Amino acid sequence: MASVPQSSPITPAPVTDTEALIIGAGFSGLYQLHSLRDRLGLSVQVLEMADGVGGTWYWNRYPGARCDSESHSYMYYFSDALLKEWQWSERYPGQAEILRYLNFVADRLDLKRSVRFNTRVTGARYDEAANRWLVSTESGEQYRTRYLITAVGCLSSANIPAIPGLADFTGRWYHTGQWPHEGVDFSGKRVGLVGTGSTGIQATPVIAEAAAHLTVFQRTPNYSVPAHNAPLSEGFKRYVADNSDRIRQVMHSTPNGHPFIIAQRSAHDPSEHERKALYESAWSIGGLRFRSVFRDLLVDKAANDTASSFLKNKIREIVKDPATAEKLADIDHPFAAKRPPIDTGYFETFNRPNVTLVDVRADPIERITATGIQTGKAHHELDVIVFATGFDALTGPLKKLNLVGRGGVSLNALWEAGPRSYLGLQVSGFPNLFTLTGPGSPSVLVNMPVAIEQHVDWVTDCIAHLRKEGIARMEPRPEAMEAWSQQVQAAADATLLSKVPHSWYLGANVPGKPRVFMPYAGGMPRYRQICQEVAQRGYEGFEFSR
Ligand code: N01
């Protein structure tokens, strides 16, 4: 990589040239770096705004932060050597252990020397004459690259609700996705937690144990299935070590990239008695495996109703106060049509004397005051507010990069009515820009490492092809992008996922965000096949120039 002085006297800052530039050093950025640098031999620079690797798992250090994918599936499978050298300790990996794992990989593959930390990208502009991307950072550095790869994650742009009065609050407030490294001491504190998605459901039991009092502000009630997290037995660790090929094969064959097969039976097949027994058995196994008990839970509302009613009854059985149980079980969407959380003692936590549930749909939050949260009917005195209010998912992290493509067109303007991409990988007008796990790809609907490895492998093979064929630039044809956007919508419409109006898959959690179903819901095997066929047909749908 050469650092050359730029000739213009107006912009004297030196520009660093690199063949590929990757934004982000999480799961996807690290593997993309390894693939381009160590397999293809390119000069590669990674820019990362944190002071360490890890992406999501660097930032999300909130109490109870743990992955919902089972640990033996939440890791890279591209290297047998890495697989052999790492053992997880629990059924679901906690945040600290995942961060240790990603540091282990980064050290083992000597990746950190190619990462510039504490470096936030503030803009990237395509220079058509030079066929290069000019990338600028907050501290005024400039990079020039042929291939620009965003590895910024799907859930990395915190959604802090614009509730009036936040600036007046005299206590401390936090968003779970920007948690202080030193942790938060809740002892003796009255804590308010806003949000009951996967994060709020994970954090609630842990905060309740530590705080003097916890008030949970619930807007949309949510299903949750027990995780049944536990230390892994030596036998299971041996099974994983001896069966990595088989586990990989299963993950690659299932729509969500998880290491379990979805049953072929319909929820309508068994008698009511048998169905209940099957649900009880799935509940006792727990976690995301619960969904795999019937094949049609996500496509047939009547089938889904059987799961929904089983899970609502579980809430009523667990929560002792009937009024609280009713507020928690008053769920208006089909099970798993919003991202289904899994938990460790979430509903049980509402039996604690120091926990209160506030239904902010019935009694909306009006404002934040100096000393708490004012709803229509009451003032809740608080020392700490925790916003578990999610993310500006998928498009948020990309929009923050201020990408400007051919003809000075900005991605943010192009996506004003919602994201459009070809395969979630590229956008017309943005040559040689690759968006790992971007909108229009399976991304958040899939066990992320599986989605990431497929994307990185595809991008790596694609760049190898461009170099071999002497192709200078590549971008999708507008009509291919349009056709793919329609396929993304059609795939969502074939499921119950697009029928939930208040889902972040649709952008509904961020005021003003266009309602477009963002991830590809057609399943990972189908998507993998489409991407393979596109490549085999000479990268059909893309246009090249030399
Ligand atoms: O965010 P969410 P999350 N007033 O958007 C509520 C992944 N994840 O951080 O549903 C009051 O799901 C909002 O209410 P509503 C996983 O993919 C993975 O929990 O919009 N409430 C909702 O209850 C997950 O899906 C793991 O009506 C407000 C909550 O805040 C994704 O991250 C662990 C509000 C936000 O829920 C996001 O989950 C954790 C307001 N103004 C997360 N604004 C793993 O294990 C929002 N809410 C891998």
Side-chain angles (χ1 to χ4, degrees), residues 281-292:
S281 156
W283 175 267
S284 70
I285 293 167
L288 296 177
R289 285 178 191 255
F290 183 87
R291 265 185 310 182
S292 65

Side-chain angles (χ1 to χ4, degrees), residues 93-113:
Q95 174 270 335
E97 193 170 15
I98 302 173
L99 201 53
R100 275 202 302 283
Y101 169 72
L102 288 170
N103 274 283
F104 150 75
V105 173
D107 291 336
R108 180 74 176 62
L109 300 177
D110 192 17
L111 298 178
K112 289 178 187 169
R113 69 181 159 86

Side-chain angles (χ1 to χ4, degrees), residues 62 66-68 161 195-199 219-220 338-339 388 390 504:
Y62 60 85
R66 189 175 288 285
C67 185
D68 292 353
T196 52
S198 301
T199 302
R219 187 164 70 184
T220 302
K338 288 178 87 167
R339 164 68 153 74
W504 61 258

